[in-house]
Amino acid sequence: MKKYILTGTLAALLTLGGLSVPALAGPEDVVVENAWSRASIGMNRPGAAYMTIRNTGDEPVTLIGLTTPLAMMPEIHETKTNAEGVSSMSPAGEIAIAPGESVALEPGGLHAMLMRLQEPMTEGDTFPLTLLFDDGGEVTVEVPILGIAARGPED
Amino acid sequence: MRRRAVLGYGAAGVGAVALMLFVGWWQVDGPGGPEPVGQRPVALTEMDFRLTDHEGNAVGPETLIGRPTMAFFGFTYCPDVCPTTLSDISGWLDDLGDEADEMNVVFITVDPERDTVETMAEYVGYFHPAIRGWTGPEEQIARVADGFRATYERVPAESGDYTMNHTASVFLFAASGRFVTMIDYHEPKEFAVPKIRRALEEEMEGAT
Ligand SMILES: [Cu+2]
């Protein structure tokens, strides 16, 4: 059986709050680290969230989708920049992560695209984002919302 | 003995391969790389377009002449590339400090339908104060892109909205309006900042 663990900011928050991490965790072989997103201007524009997803187990895992109360259409997207310097963005499809490997969602590459926001993304807030895997496993991570000009999880 | 000699050659071989790889990278992707042929923007002095900046001022290529210019294309509904580029530019400007004070920094929208003057004003306000936001009628945006040899395209999104594919490079011009070089999307700061200095230095050469 695959196990999924939640780490990073949420774990820290939960620990500080005196809650135990396993209360929210599903299977424990998938670890999500350094999740972050940028604040939005209003609700008309799509948002984007970033994180590192690590498979610490012995079997491959496949990320097949996302859900969040924040957005009606969350989806993993990939930005590509061609030889002419033109950037485009499209759904990335399923993402397989081999045992011991990790996948980085970071600016200019993969991102969790948050389409049809249900509320504005406000700096300082967080929102829950659930990663869905092909074996039915789920991991929910609490994503901090940083400033619009944030460059990474540390900003 | 023999074994040692082989090891010696081996090490030299690895060194030679590493050097070749480095030279190859330098010439192809690194700072020694040539600009793509036929893709160079024309000089600002040869461009002709009329836009409006985020404070409502009429602007055109002549607005940029006399100071070095850093310009790029994007749109405010862009969730990934554009805020990243704006943040990168803000970081480069912070690094350059006073040196960047005499520079034009212009963010030109490729999505004038949604990016009105007010929208641009709100958006650029979140980034480095030197960054100006320019918008205007679609046919004028097309003329700008043509002069820059940049491209953009409206693409329907699954959400029912649309997104824009667009040239994500940052363009650098000397104070004379001459095109200097461009910074590719996500080029590391170690390359980007020296390129900006090149554009700044051309100004001084031109002034003397
Ligand atoms: Cu996207």
Side-chain angles (χ1 to χ4, degrees), chain A residues 77 89 111 113, chain B residues 79:
Chain A
H77 269 198
M89 190 171 63
H111 55 273
M113 177 90 162

Side-chain angles (χ1 to χ4, degrees), chain A residues 73-84:
Chain A
M73 280 191 67
E75 190 171 39
I76 303 282
H77 269 198
E78 184 166 22
T79 297
K80 288 183 179 146
T81 304
N82 70 14
E84 284 74 50

